[in-house]
Amino acid sequence: MVALCLTQWTTRTEELGYFLAALPAVAAFAYGPAGTAVFAALVLLLLGVPELRVGHARGSDLATVATVGLLSVVIAWVRRRRDTQLVSVRTVAEAAQMAVLPPVPERVGRVRCAGLYRAAQQGTLVGGDLFDVRAGPYGVRVVVGDVQGHGLAAVGTVASLLGAFREGVLDDRELAAVAARLDRRLAADAAADSVAHPELFATALLLEFPPALDLVRVVSCGHPPALLLRGPAVTELAVEPGPPLGLGLTGPALPAVAELPLLPGDRLLAHTDGVTEARDAAGHFYPLAVRVPVLANDPAGLVPAVWRDLAAFTGGGPRDDVALLLLSPHATD
């Protein structure tokens, strides 16, 4: 408005005042009804008072500008109302997603945790990956999983698996029984008439840190192996993978459980395939095991460092859901 007025006052040969008539409509996208009404009133004043030497609107021209201003106020009111509704809906949606997958605590029992979750679908907090760390009567138990699909379509399956896992932490004495519980949960969901995709399945890695024992128990259900960080060395946990959850391939037999000793200072990095299957512009996969020793001493922490490195490697971040979970079982205060 100021620029148009100054230009009009310094330019006598061109009539620029009528460009002011568009300003109320533009203001409606940034201001509320009151602010837009102020702009409309100022435009009418500038165009309707000849002494201001900005415009010379009369009669029908001035009525047209007034109509545009009135419509702009209505548009601003509708936009502000919809913005309020959108904020309310987004707040509820974020609360619901946080209830499904709350942030991992910094410490669970004797295990220190650092987690990172990035959903592939923009604007969402939860996708098709999952992780959780819970303390129970049989120690600290961890699940990291990846369900079929990603984005909001997979959130229901994620919620179902996490609910079954949290029950298993409290009720099941054996870690293999927790895996069997998750398998039954998925199989039941796939058989339900309300499920649109009867071929539901998921990969998962289950870990257990029993009390007073320097070891970790691991069950792999078709999931990428976790990395063991022992000093400068980084190795994959030697665990025989079983079939994915939900396929009903385990039958009555429980999946195999591996027991691996832990030394003071050992750390475990669990992840989903959104990390290791991310590609750069040349089509190369992200070399997580190679990059972890380089990033292990980053002052910001290993998990944020891996994410920054992964985002740089892929040129902005992978297109799949990503979950990273770093566990330090011998953490001290």
Side-chain angles (χ1 to χ4, degrees):
M1 181 179 290
V2 172
L4 285 172
C5 291
L6 291 175
T7 304
Q8 182 64 71
W9 290 332
T10 57
T11 304
R12 300 297 184 181
T13 58
E14 301 293 338
E15 180 67 33
L16 302 176
Y18 286 103
F19 284 104
L20 291 171
L23 292 185
V26 176
F29 289 98
Y31 295 87
T36 304
V38 169
F39 272 100
L42 288 175
V43 168
L44 285 174
L45 179 66
L46 290 170
L47 294 180
V49 178
E51 289 77 10
L52 296 177
R53 294 183 290 109
V54 176
H56 305 281
R58 291 290 184 274
S60 61
D61 291 337
L62 205 58
T64 300
V65 174
T67 303
V68 171
L70 179 61
L71 291 176
S72 299
V73 172
V74 174
I75 291 172
W77 177 79
V78 172
R79 183 194 58 79
R80 179 62 61 86
R81 183 180 180 185
R82 290 187 176 179
D83 285 350
T84 302
Q85 292 174 340
L86 180 60
V87 170
S88 177
V89 170
R90 185 175 180 85
T91 301
V92 172
E94 289 183 354
Q97 293 178 79
M98 293 295 287
V100 171
L101 191 68
V104 174
E106 293 184 1
R107 191 184 186 96
V108 179
R110 65 185 180 96
V111 179
R112 191 175 295 278
C113 313
L116 180 141
Y117 194 106
R118 293 292 186 273
Q121 185 168 338
Q122 188 175 6
T124 61
L125 302 178
V126 181
D129 289 356
L130 62 107
F131 57 57
D132 200 6
V133 184
R134 297 278 166 162
Y138 311 109
V140 176
R141 286 173 171 172
V142 180
V143 63
V144 179
D146 184 358
V147 308
Q148 175 198 19
H150 59 266
L152 293 177
V155 173
T157 306
V158 168
S160 181
L161 282 177
L162 287 174
F165 169 74
R166 290 161 186 167
E167 291 178 358
V169 168
L170 300 176
D171 299 338
D172 296 327
R173 181 179 296 274
E174 301 296 331
L175 184 63
V178 180
R181 178 190 291 265
L182 300 182
D183 183 70
R184 291 194 304 271
R185 178 71 271 164
L186 265 190
D189 288 348
D193 294 336
S194 58
V195 177
H197 302 285
E199 69 279 6
L200 279 178
F201 68 91
T203 65
L205 186 70
L206 296 168
L207 300 97
E208 179 183 87
F209 301 96
L213 294 177
D214 292 330
L215 60 85
V216 59
R217 298 189 178 108
V218 186
V219 172
S220 176
C221 301
H223 196 78
L227 299 179
L228 173 63
L229 287 67
R230 178 170 290 170
V234 175
T235 58
E236 292 185 349
L237 291 183
V239 179
E240 182 179 354
L245 301 172
L247 300 182
L249 300 179
T250 57
L254 295 178
V257 179
E259 287 193 359
L260 304 171
L262 294 175
L263 301 178
D266 284 352
R267 294 183 293 171
L268 299 172
L269 180 62
H271 58 89
T272 56
D273 60 10
V275 179
T276 52
E277 293 183 1
R279 298 172 183 259
D280 63 6
H284 301 124
F285 291 110
Y286 180 69
L288 178 63
V290 175
R291 296 298 300 161
V292 164
V294 180
L295 304 170
N297 296 321
D298 191 289
L302 177 59
V303 170
V306 170
W307 172 251
R308 291 195 306 270
D309 191 57
L310 179 62
F313 180 84
T314 56
R319 297 182 180 180
D320 196 3
D321 300 317
V322 167
L324 288 165
L325 184 61
L326 182 66
L327 305 164
S328 304
H330 293 281
T332 57
D333 293 329

